[in-house]
Amino acid sequence: LFIRDVESLDVVKAYKNSGTPSKIEWSKDSKFVMCAIYKRGTVQVHSLEDNKWSCKISEGVAGISGAMWAPSCRHLLIVQEFQLKLTIWSLCEKRRWVIQNPKYSDKGIRFSHDAKYLAVLERRNFKDYIGIYYTQTWEMVKGFQVAGAVDLEDIAWSPDDSAIAMWDTNLEFNIMI
């Protein structure tokens, strides 16, 4: 992975990864870059400020189907293949928290605008649930089954973070708040 200067295109940093990244994403504060290598089930994080610091997270044989930064820029969310679990990894504390059965790896995982809460669309026993987690401790503060839902597609926080909108499959045309 080469990081280049925007104006001159000179290489500023070069990092070696364990494979070809499926996804590359900057942290919101631009101090880290994440390289998710789905085929190998690994995510590598490189620091732009400290050349000696790097991180490699492996989900093992279960593989990875999604990876994203938390707004804190110090936590990564990694979804295992087949949406078995979502793992929140702390880059500072060398800790992790697990949320079982996220429904999707590329949607249904949304942070509130103030970044205090994470809403996750979950699938348990063939039913849709929403789990709301406090991002300071990553503990669930509220969880509920979505009554009347057939097959929820995604969720979104209201602009003031007071409600969550969810929409059902296109076959149903349902939007719930």
Side-chain angles (χ1 to χ4, degrees):
L1 172 68
F2 295 104
I3 308 294
R4 295 181 180 271
D5 181 271
V6 177
E7 293 176 8
S8 68
L9 296 179
D10 291 336
V11 174
V12 178
K13 301 272 185 180
Y15 302 104
K16 186 173 180 174
N17 291 308
S18 61
T20 304
S22 307
K23 180 178 183 178
I24 299 171
E25 187 174 291
W26 289 96
S27 62
K28 194 174 179 179
D29 63 3
S30 299
K31 293 182 179 182
F32 298 94
V33 64
M34 170 193 70
C35 298
I37 305 150
Y38 294 163
K39 286 183 180 181
R40 295 190 183 250
T42 62
V43 172
Q44 290 180 247
V45 181
H46 306 288
S47 170
L48 273 71
E49 293 181 337
D50 183 353
N51 291 333
K52 295 179 182 179
W53 189 95
S54 67
C55 171
K56 184 175 180 180
I57 298 168
S58 176
E59 288 289 347
V61 294
I64 294 173
S65 62
M68 68 194 80
W69 285 102
S72 69
C73 303
R74 300 302 175 265
H75 294 88
L76 282 172
L77 283 70
I78 299 175
V79 180
Q80 274 190 347
E81 194 77 58
F82 307 113
Q83 292 73 43
L84 298 174
K85 67 181 180 178
L86 171 120
T87 307
I88 299 120
W89 293 88
S90 170
L91 300 180
C92 300
E93 300 174 37
K94 295 183 182 177
R95 255 185 98 180
R96 67 182 175 143
W97 298 266
V98 174
I99 298 172
Q100 297 294 331
N101 306 311
K103 187 170 182 180
Y104 301 108
S105 60
D106 60 343
K107 56 186 179 178
I109 302 169
R110 303 286 182 237
F111 286 93
S112 59
H113 298 286
D114 63 7
K116 287 184 181 178
Y117 298 99
L118 168 68
V120 179
L121 184 54
E122 301 168 7
R123 188 78 171 167
R124 291 183 251 146
N125 301 320
F126 307 104
K127 295 181 181 162
D128 290 328
Y129 290 79
I130 293 186
I132 301 174
Y133 300 85
Y134 183 55
T135 59
Q136 296 300 311
T137 61
W138 299 106
E139 292 180 17
M140 181 186 278
V141 293
K142 183 81 173 168
F144 54 93
Q145 181 182 346
V146 182
V150 175
D151 186 18
L152 288 179
E153 283 293 316
D154 207 349
I155 56 177
W157 288 89
S158 65
D160 66 354
D161 293 332
S162 66
I164 297 173
M166 54 208 94
W167 48 99
D168 217 339
T169 176
N170 292 338
L171 299 173
E172 293 292 321
F173 299 108
N174 288 333
I175 296 177
M176 297 160 264
I177 298 177

